[in-house]
């Protein structure tokens, strides 16, 4: 077997937090909430273009049981464009982020957290 690509990341959230997590990835990260098969559990598939790269689902523990933040997963990373527009949007929404400037290597990174506490890395070529 040869790995060709990362297919998707699955994120669990309590029912009470599910829509806030979806809104974060749609409004902050820029993904699109799209078609999802009927799995018998609440959730959303969030698309970048024609690919559902984030699978969001309600945790099985119930509506109010907290989900351990990330478990062993520290963060998910996205290749992005429009650094200045992204920073303006994050600041307008009051989203805290940390910026790593590796311009000498052709890259700037923004780090933030989703509502579950999972790290999100946004990578921009410069």
């Amino acid at each position: 077997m040869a790995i060709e690509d990362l297919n998707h990341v699955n994120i669990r959230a309590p029912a009470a937090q599910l829509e806030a997590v979806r809104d974060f990835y749609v409004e902050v990260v820029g993904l699109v909430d799209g078609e999802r098969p009927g799995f018998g559990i609440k959730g959303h598939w969030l698309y970048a273009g024609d690919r559902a790269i984030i699978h969001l689902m309600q945790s099985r523990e119930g509506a109010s049981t907290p989900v351990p933040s990330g478990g062993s997963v520290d963060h998910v990373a996205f290749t992005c464009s429009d650094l200045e527009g992204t920073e303006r949007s994050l600041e307008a929404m009051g989203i805290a982020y940390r910026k790593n400037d590796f311009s000498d290597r052709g890259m700037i990174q923004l780090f933030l957290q989703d509502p579950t506490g999972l790290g999100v890395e946004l990578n921009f070529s410069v």
Side-chain angles (χ1 to χ4, degrees):
M1 173 179 67
I3 301 297
E4 298 176 2
D5 195 2
L6 180 66
N7 187 275
H8 70 274
V9 174
N10 193 87
I11 299 172
R12 294 178 297 133
Q17 201 177 28
L18 196 64
E19 303 311 311
V21 176
R22 181 213 47 211
D23 292 349
F24 173 87
Y25 284 97
V26 170
E27 296 169 10
V28 176
V29 176
L31 300 178
V32 175
D33 191 1
E35 184 179 348
R36 177 182 180 262
F39 292 118
I41 190 167
K42 291 181 182 178
H44 301 274
W45 277 11
L46 307 175
Y47 288 75
D50 62 352
R51 294 182 60 201
I53 62 171
I54 298 286
H55 292 184
L56 173 59
M57 63 182 267
Q58 178 180 323
S59 58
R60 298 186 196 284
E61 292 83 10
S64 60
T65 304
V67 174
S69 177
S72 295
V73 176
D74 180 69
H75 68 275
V76 295
F78 300 95
T79 301
C80 305
S81 59
D82 190 16
L83 171 64
E84 289 146 4
T86 301
E87 286 187 283
R88 281 193 303 272
S89 292
L90 292 173
E91 290 164 8
M93 290 185 268
I95 305 283
Y97 67 93
R98 178 176 50 89
K99 183 176 184 176
N100 285 349
D101 188 338
F102 296 112
S103 301
D104 58 330
R105 296 183 179 195
M107 176 178 55
I108 292 181
Q109 301 172 311
L110 303 181
F111 290 93
L112 45 146
Q113 287 187 325
D114 79 6
T116 70
L118 180 62
V120 175
E121 176 183 327
L122 307 176
N123 290 291
F124 299 85
S125 293
V126 291

